[in-house]
Amino acid sequence: MSRKHFDVIVLGVGSMGAAACYYLAQRGKRVLGLEQFDIPHDLGSHAGQSRIIRKAYFEHPGYVPLLEKSYANWKQIEQAAGTTLYHRTGLLYAGLPESPLVTGTRRSAAQYQIELECITGQQKKRFPQFEFPPEFEVLFEPDAGFITPERAISAFAYLALQRGATLLTRCKAGRWDVGGDAVEVQTDRSHFTSDALVIAAGAWTAQLLPALGIQLTVTRQVATWFRPRVWNQFLMGAMPCWLIAPPELPGVFYGFPMLPPQHFGGPPGLKAAYHYPGPAADPDRVNRTHTPEEEKQVADAIDRFLPNGRDYTLAAKTCLYTNTPDENFVIDFLPDTQKRVVVAAGFSGHGFKFAAGLGEVLADMAVNQSTAETIAFLSLRRFG
Ligand SMILES: Cc1cc2nc3c(=O)[nH]c(=O)nc-3n(C[C@H](O)[C@H](O)[C@H](O)COP(=O)(O)OP(=O)(O)OC[C@H]3O[C@@H](n4cnc5c(N)ncnc54)[C@H](O)[C@@H]3O)c2cc1C
């Protein structure tokens, strides 16, 4: 590869970086993506077969316009790649009426007229896999489902390459500098310059941006696949994705219908996990063996809320969250870089569904130094 200067360098070709590479290449920009491992890989935040996508966002209603954009963009990527990445299964929410899960979901749905059904009495028979205490409120969002992350990243990378992007794998970026009218990035192979730099380094962000000024905490998370006790009840097509907030614990348990690995990759079985920051981890030295306590926590939730969902464990996989102090993302220009350096980080365990929308936002920021989307609530300034 002879070229050394690019319009935009994207540091990290994972979830957000691969999407940004695609949107930049689609505009005819000369883009270089740098990835320390393969595209995709299972050492960061994007492995594990499936990621929930939903619109009635309980975390913050400000995400809903970005979700509308992401839904539209996922459709467009599917058409460009000739494949299916979004699978509409619907999503069941369950928790106490005053829980952040239920109040936040209702609030976003009301504010943005998102279809949300309240499941009461006899209607619960529609979901024979689940058993909830009578005091739980149960909601159903029909236009929710899951995205296949490894396939989505592969599609972004393929489409970016097809449109002329250069993607270097097993190429680790180190030091970067803004000087004069260019950004310079040093890698373990060579150095490159560009007009703009997008840093989408996931769990490695703090290593590259030690002076970011906010605490990014990397945590180790485990997803588990179970052999269900009653096979047919839990098949894709027979049940929705789900999010359940037990009153005595922070965070939520969540899961998917059973996805046939011959079509979706990944281990066979019914996948479930606990969405709450786990133990802190160094991304270069992650213990990838799950503990009996981690397995028991999810197994207990399945036994309680999906009583036929677990006979025994088939697989457990470790993945990384990068948490901000308020668990909202950081999408912003880095200070003192003349808007030449954009950071996309701190996805706090709920970012994947946005990759199609944020990829385009990042391309806008790198090329135009602005975005039409309302993302002030994701700025670095909010931390003071
Ligand atoms: C178990 C689990 C379940 C999840 N479930 C959901 C869900 O249901 N729905 C949802 O929306 N989200 C979910 N998420 C969150 C979502 O997957 C993440 O928010 C998203 O993948 C983060 O994307 P990223 O681009 O920041 O990180 P990554 O996809 O990890 O990409 C960062 C990339 O940068 C590369 N990199 C880092 N440093 C360098 C360097 N110096 N040089 C070159 N390359 C570098 C890395 O190797 C990596 O490929 C889940 C996450 C986990 C772990």
Side-chain angles (χ1 to χ4, degrees):
M1 195 201 53
S2 55
R3 187 194 289 153
K4 292 277 186 178
H5 185 84
F6 292 83
D7 295 324
V8 184
I9 295 176
V10 177
L11 201 171
V13 189
S15 320
M16 305 302 158
C21 287
Y22 165 69
Y23 282 102
L24 288 161
Q26 195 201 26
R27 290 173 196 196
K29 296 294 162 192
R30 290 167 303 163
V31 53
L32 171 66
L34 300 171
E35 171 53 52
Q36 63 182 340
F37 303 125
D38 293 332
I39 305 172
H41 63 84
D42 60 5
L43 301 170
S45 302
H46 56 252
Q49 194 182 45
S50 51
R51 293 288 186 268
I52 287 179
I53 179 163
R54 55 194 157 89
K55 260 190 223 167
Y57 223 61
F58 72 87
E59 290 90 338
H60 193 302
Y63 286 106
V64 179
L66 285 174
L67 285 161
E68 303 276 9
K69 186 182 186 72
S70 297
Y71 268 75
N73 285 8
W74 284 120
K75 201 173 279 176
Q76 185 249 318
I77 303 296
E78 287 183 327
Q79 276 162 6
T83 190
T84 305
L85 302 169
Y86 161 60
H87 297 266
R88 190 178 189 266
T89 61
L91 176 76
L92 206 62
Y93 299 86
L96 292 178
E98 64 275 20
S99 64
L101 176 68
V102 170
T103 56
T105 300
R106 278 192 170 285
R107 180 176 62 154
S108 283
Q111 194 170 329
Y112 288 97
Q113 291 89 48
I114 298 160
E115 189 181 349
L116 191 67
E117 298 172 32
C118 190
I119 306 297
T120 52
Q122 292 296 314
Q123 294 180 44
K124 291 192 179 150
K125 293 205 173 108
R126 277 168 62 194
F127 304 104
Q129 303 81 4
F130 298 89
E131 207 168 276
F132 298 121
E135 64 275 20
F136 268 27
E137 186 163 324
V138 182
L139 303 169
F140 181 69
E141 182 181 338
D143 197 18
F146 66 90
I147 306 278
T148 49
E150 292 95 339
R151 281 172 188 213
I153 290 173
S154 301
F156 282 132
Y158 180 82
L159 294 171
L161 287 163
Q162 194 182 42
R163 285 155 180 73
T166 303
L167 304 184
L168 298 185
T169 55
R170 305 187 188 199
C171 178
K172 190 172 169 86
R175 204 176 48 77
W176 60 270
D177 279 310
V178 181
D181 54 5
V183 185
E184 183 172 338
V185 179
Q186 191 70 46
T187 74
D188 50 8
R189 279 191 219 169
S190 183
H191 78 276
F192 302 95
T193 58
S194 59
D195 297 342
L197 171 66
V198 175
I199 299 182
W204 290 266
T205 304
Q207 289 181 7
L208 287 151
L209 299 172
L212 191 61
I214 62 162
Q215 179 79 28
L216 290 177
T217 309
V218 176
T219 57
R220 172 186 179 284
Q221 309 292 141
V222 178
T224 309
W225 283 256
F226 299 103
R227 201 285 180 201
R229 218 195 305 268
V230 179
W231 185 260
N232 287 342
Q233 264 194 355
F234 296 93
L235 292 173
M236 169 101 175
M239 70 176 287
C241 292
W242 51 274
L243 281 175
I244 301 173
E248 73 288 357
L249 284 175
V252 292
F253 289 92
Y254 66 94
F256 303 81
M258 197 158 48
L259 308 182
Q262 64 274 29
H263 299 307
F264 290 93
L270 186 73
K271 179 183 168 187
Y274 181 39
H275 174 59
Y276 186 71
D282 173 342
D284 292 320
R285 285 178 203 79
V286 180
N287 171 12
R288 293 186 187 269
T289 311
H290 71 285
T291 65
E293 294 74 33
E294 284 166 331
E295 184 176 335
K296 183 173 178 325
Q297 190 177 45
V298 181
D300 286 351
I302 294 285
D303 292 350
R304 182 169 161 200
F305 299 117
L306 292 84
N308 291 320
R310 185 180 78 93
D311 188 359
Y312 55 90
T313 302
L314 289 164
K317 295 208 173 280
T318 303
C319 192
L320 301 174
Y321 280 6
T322 307
N323 305 284
T324 63
D326 62 6
E327 294 182 18
N328 291 312
F329 316 153
V330 169
I331 312 286
D332 208 345
F333 297 103
L334 282 183
D336 307 320
T337 62
Q338 301 102 52
K339 294 196 171 179
R340 285 186 185 279
V341 183
V342 184
V343 62
F347 289 97
S348 305
H350 60 111
F352 197 87
K353 61 181 83 59
F354 294 89
L358 286 178
E360 194 179 353
V361 169
L362 295 172
D364 284 337
M365 293 172 78
V367 174
N368 305 328
Q369 287 77 52
S370 68
T371 168
E373 300 301 318
T374 305
I375 55 167
F377 74 112
L378 306 177
S379 71
L380 280 166
R381 291 182 302 283
R382 75 181 190 271
F383 297 108

